[in-house]
Amino acid sequence: MELEEARKAGLAPAEVDEDGKEINPHIPQYMSSAPWYLNAERPSLKHQRKWKSDPNYTKSWYDRGAKIYQADKYRKGACENCGAMTHTTKTCMERPRKLGAKWTSKNIAPDEKIETFELDYDGKRDRWNGYDAASYAHVIERYEARDEARKKFLKDQQLKKLEEKGGGENADEGVSDDEDNEDALKIDEAKVDESKQMDFAKVEKRVRTTGGGSTGTVRNLRIREDTAKYLLNLDVNSAHYDPKTRSMREDPLPDMDPNEKFYAGDNQNRVSGQALEFKQLNIHAWEAFEKGNDVHMQAAPSQAELLYKNFKVNKEKLKSQVKETIVEKYGNAAADEALPRELLLGQSEREVEYDRAGRIIKGQEMALPKSKYEEDVYINNHTTVWGSWWKDHQWGYKCCKQFVRNSYCTGAAGIEAAEAASDLMKANIARKEAAQEVVAPTEEKQLATWGTDIPDDLVLDQGKLAESLKKEDKRRKEEKDERKRKYNVKWNDEVTAEDMEAYRMKKVHHDDPMKDFLN
């Protein structure tokens, strides 16, 4: 600590690094590049990048076009075409010879200088690495030669004018001092005729060729003396200028006199001249296509324009027809025709006095006050209002005598149909009441044992009935014990009245309280 304080005070020698340079104690040693105001020679940010240059890296570049050795005869392994040892026949850049250097041993090309460099990170990405600034000298020479030619041309033109002016005068009078000639020949380059500078403002475009189009010249027609549109109004809150499209849609000077205004914004061009007609033509083509017409502005522009012209002609005809119809029906008040006699005689000079609220005070009979509800409004073809008909404690329409509020009027035919329906209903009611008074005697039908009507001449044979009862008992026993049923069974599906009676007599009635005592 005492040594460091002595060094800071200048009493002790300063600390030096490996190269023998004095170390600045105010600069942190982890920095590989010190700020400019401290000591630019010291390293900074040692921990972040390599501050020691690598000797393997170089910033040199290839020596373009350099040759190293010129041979006199062909050597084995050289290029068969030109005879150089630094490349093969496949990679030779010279024109293919009819007979190569291998067979002629003449015009042996010199060997190229081949170099290999190991570039660092910045060297690999340096776009200007190897660029020779002296190669730009020919560009400067070309522009200087152009300026000299222009000055010479202007000087010749001025001399011709002076000769023409002094041609008719004496030689003594036409001679002037050298200083006056120099002053007359001095012409400001900014005032040169534009016809001499038109070639410097042209733009080359390619149109309609395989590469993009034929080369044509498109000149910039803007006059250089015109004020740029973005300089007409320097207020930042004025019309917006888009530098990418060079457009200013709004008017930069809206308060200026229109007669003195040279530029009124790009929107002014869109709503004036043929631009507006073209816009209307496009809109008509879109609307016609939406309505089903096969119209396309880009595919068939002539057809679209012809249809638009026909549309405008038909529209004018229709408008004139509507106007004529209205004039014929209501008359034309703007015409100089005399008013009809009926209107003239219908006028009166009777005075009517009103109050502030618009009510009539005198001069005309008082109008009856109307209700706030709608009056005399007939719906559904009715000729009378709801409530004009009353019958059987119901309201209805008097015109058709209907009691349904939203019904449709049927007129006299509906009244006749309603009366006929009413008479028919009364007749039916009367007939029903008469039928209830006379009660017809009902005959009790005796049903057969199997549920059908018993004929009057039905007589059961007691012998057959006894046999049927035995068969029924036998059948019931077989149902209880199937072992007693014989193998060969003869079945007879004929059922007689005695069999049915025997079945009914042997049948068990589950609702019978004495069923348990039956055999």
Side-chain angles (χ1 to χ4, degrees):
M1 295 297 293
E2 295 178 357
L3 180 59
E4 293 180 0
E5 292 177 358
R7 285 174 178 171
K8 291 180 182 179
L11 301 177
E15 186 179 0
V16 295
D17 57 2
E18 298 176 355
D19 299 334
K21 295 182 180 180
E22 182 179 352
I23 297 176
N24 193 338
H26 301 286
I27 302 176
Q29 293 305 305
Y30 58 85
M31 296 176 62
S32 61
S33 179
W36 61 272
Y37 53 84
L38 291 179
N39 190 357
E41 297 180 357
R42 299 303 306 156
S44 65
L45 301 177
K46 183 190 298 184
H47 65 288
Q48 291 190 9
R49 69 176 187 177
K50 296 167 65 176
W51 56 277
K52 286 187 177 180
S53 61
D54 194 339
N56 297 327
Y57 292 151
T58 180
K59 291 185 179 181
S60 58
W61 198 247
Y62 303 99
D63 191 2
R64 299 177 185 271
K67 308 297 181 182
I68 55 175
Y69 177 70
Q70 176 69 51
D72 296 334
K73 60 180 181 179
Y74 180 78
R75 295 160 292 177
K76 185 178 180 180
C79 176
E80 298 179 356
N81 184 43
C82 65
M85 290 289 294
T86 52
H87 62 267
T88 60
T89 307
K90 188 175 182 180
T91 59
C92 184
M93 300 299 294
E94 286 194 7
R95 177 182 59 84
R97 303 180 184 180
K98 187 174 183 181
L99 288 176
K102 180 180 180 180
W103 295 275
T104 60
S105 295
K106 296 180 180 180
N107 299 328
I108 303 298
D111 299 341
E112 296 92 352
K113 183 179 180 181
I114 298 177
E115 300 175 290
T116 56
F117 301 111
E118 187 176 358
L119 302 176
D120 56 356
Y121 182 85
D122 294 333
K124 292 178 182 177
R125 291 156 181 80
D126 188 3
R127 297 171 56 187
W128 297 95
N129 193 3
Y131 175 73
D132 186 10
S135 62
Y136 192 72
H138 70 281
V139 179
I140 299 175
E141 292 175 358
R142 181 165 59 89
Y143 276 91
E144 290 178 352
R146 187 191 66 179
D147 294 340
E148 291 294 334
R150 182 188 301 171
K151 291 179 181 179
K152 184 178 180 181
F153 173 79
L154 294 175
K155 188 173 181 179
D156 295 341
Q157 293 291 331
Q158 191 67 20
L159 289 173
K160 288 181 181 180
K161 290 181 181 179
L162 292 175
E163 290 177 357
E164 292 176 359
K165 289 181 181 180
E169 301 178 358
N170 296 330
D172 298 336
E173 296 178 357
V175 177
S176 60
D177 298 335
D178 295 338
E179 295 180 358
D180 296 338
N181 291 335
E182 291 179 1
D183 295 338
L185 292 176
K186 289 181 179 180
I187 299 175
D188 188 7
E189 293 185 2
K191 297 181 180 180
V192 179
D193 187 8
E194 290 186 0
S195 62
K196 308 299 184 298
Q197 289 186 348
M198 290 185 69
D199 292 339
F200 302 100
K202 64 182 181 180
V203 180
E204 300 290 341
K205 288 188 176 181
R206 306 187 65 183
V207 185
R208 295 176 183 170
T209 60
T210 56
S214 61
T215 303
T217 301
V218 180
R219 302 190 184 278
N220 191 353
L221 301 179
R222 184 177 71 82
I223 303 174
R224 298 297 177 180
E225 285 76 11
D226 290 346
T227 305
K229 61 180 72 174
Y230 52 84
L231 297 178
L232 295 175
N233 191 350
L234 300 179
D235 187 6
V236 295
N237 296 325
S238 63
H240 174 69
Y241 174 75
D242 185 13
K244 184 176 182 180
T245 58
R246 300 181 182 179
S247 61
M248 182 182 287
R249 299 185 178 181
E250 299 180 4
D251 188 1
L253 300 172
D255 300 332
M256 188 178 178
D257 186 8
N259 297 326
E260 300 178 358
K261 194 179 299 184
F262 176 73
Y263 177 75
D266 295 341
N267 286 339
Q268 182 68 22
N269 300 330
R270 298 182 180 180
V271 295
S272 62
Q274 295 182 349
L276 185 60
E277 298 179 1
F278 184 73
K279 181 180 179 181
Q280 294 175 353
L281 176 60
N282 274 325
I283 294 174
H284 175 264
W286 297 337
E287 293 178 352
F289 182 77
E290 290 178 356
K291 293 179 180 178
N293 297 328
D294 190 8
V295 181
H296 198 278
M297 186 61 195
Q298 281 71 34
S302 302
Q303 178 189 6
E305 187 174 0
L306 182 61
L307 290 176
Y308 181 56
K309 289 182 179 179
N310 296 336
F311 168 74
K312 289 195 294 185
V313 173
N314 296 334
K315 185 178 180 180
E316 292 296 331
K317 289 182 180 179
L318 181 61
K319 189 184 294 184
S320 60
Q321 291 178 359
V322 172
K323 184 177 180 181
E324 292 175 359
T325 305
I326 294 175
V327 170
E328 290 178 359
K329 185 174 182 180
Y330 300 102
N332 189 2
D336 297 334
E337 301 176 357
L339 294 175
R341 188 176 181 83
E342 294 81 5
L343 293 179
L344 292 174
L345 296 177
Q347 296 177 356
S348 65
E349 296 181 357
R350 184 177 179 180
E351 295 183 359
V352 181
E353 186 177 351
Y354 298 89
D355 60 359
R356 291 185 178 180
R359 294 185 293 268
I360 299 175
I361 299 176
K362 64 177 182 178
Q364 189 177 359
E365 296 180 358
M366 296 293 292
L368 296 175
K370 291 187 177 181
S371 173
K372 65 178 180 179
Y373 303 102
E374 295 181 347
E375 296 182 0
D376 298 334
V377 177
Y378 306 116
I379 61 173
N380 296 337
N381 203 28
H382 289 285
T383 57
T384 57
V385 296
W386 169 260
S388 59
W389 173 254
W390 170 263
K391 185 179 181 182
D392 297 337
H393 303 282
Q394 289 182 340
W395 293 103
Y397 294 99
K398 187 177 181 181
C399 56
C400 56
K401 296 183 179 180
Q402 294 192 65
F403 301 105
V404 181
R405 178 69 180 273
N406 294 325
S407 63
Y408 191 82
C409 183
T410 56
I415 296 175
E416 295 177 0
E419 292 178 354
S422 178
D423 295 342
L424 181 60
M425 184 180 292
K426 290 179 181 179
N428 291 336
I429 292 173
R431 186 170 61 254
K432 186 175 181 180
E433 291 177 353
Q436 289 178 355
E437 292 177 356
V438 180
V439 180
T442 57
E443 297 180 356
E444 294 182 359
K445 295 183 179 181
Q446 185 178 3
L447 298 178
T449 54
W450 53 87
T452 58
D453 296 339
I454 300 175
D456 298 336
D457 56 348
L458 179 61
V459 178
L460 296 176
D461 189 357
Q462 297 297 327
K464 293 182 179 179
L465 181 59
E467 293 179 359
S468 298
L469 290 173
K470 291 179 181 180
K471 288 180 181 179
E472 185 66 17
D473 293 337
K474 186 177 181 182
R475 187 184 65 81
R476 287 178 178 274
K477 289 180 181 179
E478 290 179 355
E479 287 181 356
K480 291 181 181 180
D481 189 3
E482 292 183 354
R483 293 177 297 177
K484 294 182 178 181
R485 184 169 59 88
K486 295 180 180 180
Y487 181 76
N488 295 325
V489 178
K490 292 183 180 180
W491 187 261
N492 186 11
D493 56 353
E494 294 181 1
V495 180
T496 59
E498 289 79 4
D499 294 338
M500 199 66 197
E501 182 65 17
Y503 172 76
R504 185 190 65 79
M505 293 173 64
K506 294 292 184 179
K507 182 180 178 182
V508 177
H509 297 277
H510 298 281
D511 296 335
D512 188 1
M514 300 298 291
K515 64 179 180 178
D516 296 332
F517 299 97
L518 295 176
N519 294 328

